Amino acid sequence: MADTGWPGCARGLKGVVLDMCGVLYDSGGGDGIAVPGSIEAVEALKASDLQLRFCTNETQATREKFVAKLQRLGFDISVPEVFSPAPAATAVLKERGLRPHLLVYDGVLPEFDSVDKTNPNCVVIGDAAENFSYENLNEAFRVLIGLEKPVLFSLGKGRYYKETDGLKLDVGAYMKALEYACDLEAEVIGKPSTVFFQSVLNDMGLQPHEVMMIGDDLVNDVGGAQHCGMKGVQVRTGKYRPSDERHPTVTADGTVDNLAQAVNMILSQRGH
């Protein structure tokens, strides 16, 4: 009988998906700082027989710039391996003929260059950081409230994330404000959306039970992956809080000190 517990479940794995901020590195001034052991952990996974993808809700830079930053930190990573919300949102907007009003960070605007933004009929909100002013939020509110059928897309729905100087409010807090003001429910593009996780699985050509997600966000990384049928392991780095291990609705399949420990346990189970 197959071992479904952690770490025994690693024996049946064919793929691993890694969150990035808080797992590989902590963002902050400059390029941020790599979590100790994470560069080597990625190298070890790439040297194994497991498929590897990276899944992020990062919306402060284009994928190309984001990947270049991680390469400067020392990670072996390429753009096609990284799944992020903005390119997925662009595809949805084109598919549905929607013209967005954008409340996003300036650095991610180039991802939307190919989308018609005249006379907006929806709003896209991302981690806009200092662009989350009252004026900008109110402008997004006015666009939505003026539509007969308002549509709000949120690039992820995280509550907060960690930078080198401390915790920062994430897009989810502002998404909730617009939902409340406009009496609507946002469509989330990114983690924990099942559609987003499924797009990663499709790219790997694997079934959910063959893949493990490793992240620092219990609800959006671990819970989102589990809801999709994947295993979910939480690291005690990044935004991890001790209370996560007593969460009322989400229980990680395993909790480890950091990515290096998780990878060592996975590979030892597989005889590497």
Side-chain angles (χ1 to χ4, degrees), residues 143-157:
V143 170
L144 287 168
I145 210 73
L147 295 170
E148 186 179 344
K149 292 183 179 178
V151 178
L152 172 63
F153 293 102
S154 184
L155 306 182
K157 57 183 263 189

Side-chain angles (χ1 to χ4, degrees), residues 89-106:
T90 298
V92 171
L93 292 167
K94 289 178 177 177
E95 186 182 303
R96 289 165 59 176
L98 294 170
R99 303 178 303 278
H101 170 85
L102 298 172
L103 178 48
V104 298
Y105 197 74
D106 292 345

